[in-house]
């Protein structure tokens, strides 16, 4: 007995045979539902694939700041203030060149990891 014959033997109160067949509207509905699910999944996954600038780029972005503020910003970026920059942060040492500050910060990051 085929599926069509089985459906034909069902009483009238059951599903009509027209509902048991896929037509163009059903396929379009399934395609739309798939698109909505893909959009939802991409929105949920977007934070995991977001671009994060490198530490070096974040350190370079602090170049225009005043020396004491720059050292404190670097301390926030690294999670700690390197020993060589602490005196400069409190104003008791003369400001270093921007490249020297970056070199110290990058070296301190490598040592800590």
């Amino acid at each position: 007995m085929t599926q069509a014959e089985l459906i034909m033997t069902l009483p009238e109160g059951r599903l009509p045979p027209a509902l048991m067949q896929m037509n163009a509207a059903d396929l379009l509905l399934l395609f739309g539902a798939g698109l909505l699910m893909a959009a939802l999944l991409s929105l949920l996954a977007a934070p995991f694939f977001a671009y994060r600038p490198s530490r070096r780029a974040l350190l370079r972005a602090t170049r225009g700041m005043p020396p004491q503020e720059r050292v404190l910003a670097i301390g926030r970026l690294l999670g700690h203030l390197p020993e060589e920059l602490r005196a400069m942060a409190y104003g008791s040492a003369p400001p270093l060149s921007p490249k020297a500050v970056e070199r110290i910060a990058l070296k301190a990051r490598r040592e800590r990891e």
Side-chain angles (χ1 to χ4, degrees), residues 9-31:
T9 60
L10 290 175
E12 282 298 315
R14 304 288 177 145
L15 293 174
L19 288 179
M20 297 303 293
Q21 297 173 351
M22 295 284 277
N23 58 21
D26 295 333
L27 293 174
L28 189 61
L29 180 71
L30 287 173
F31 181 72

Side-chain angles (χ1 to χ4, degrees), residues 32-44:
L35 284 178
L36 286 175
M37 286 182 59
L40 179 65
L41 286 175
S42 69
L43 286 175
L44 291 174

Side-chain angles (χ1 to χ4, degrees), residues 14-83:
R14 304 288 177 145
L15 293 174
L19 288 179
M20 297 303 293
Q21 297 173 351
M22 295 284 277
N23 58 21
D26 295 333
L27 293 174
L28 189 61
L29 180 71
L30 287 173
F31 181 72
L35 284 178
L36 286 175
M37 286 182 59
L40 179 65
L41 286 175
S42 69
L43 286 175
L44 291 174
F48 297 108
F49 297 111
Y51 171 74
R52 287 184 55 201
S54 67
R55 294 247 185 230
R56 189 177 302 267
L58 291 172
L59 289 173
R60 267 191 239 123
T62 62
R63 281 187 181 167
M65 296 179 163
Q68 286 180 325
E69 289 180 26
R70 181 172 191 225
V71 171
L72 294 175
I74 288 173
R76 274 187 243 109
L77 285 173
L78 296 177
H80 73 287
L81 192 58
E83 191 67 39

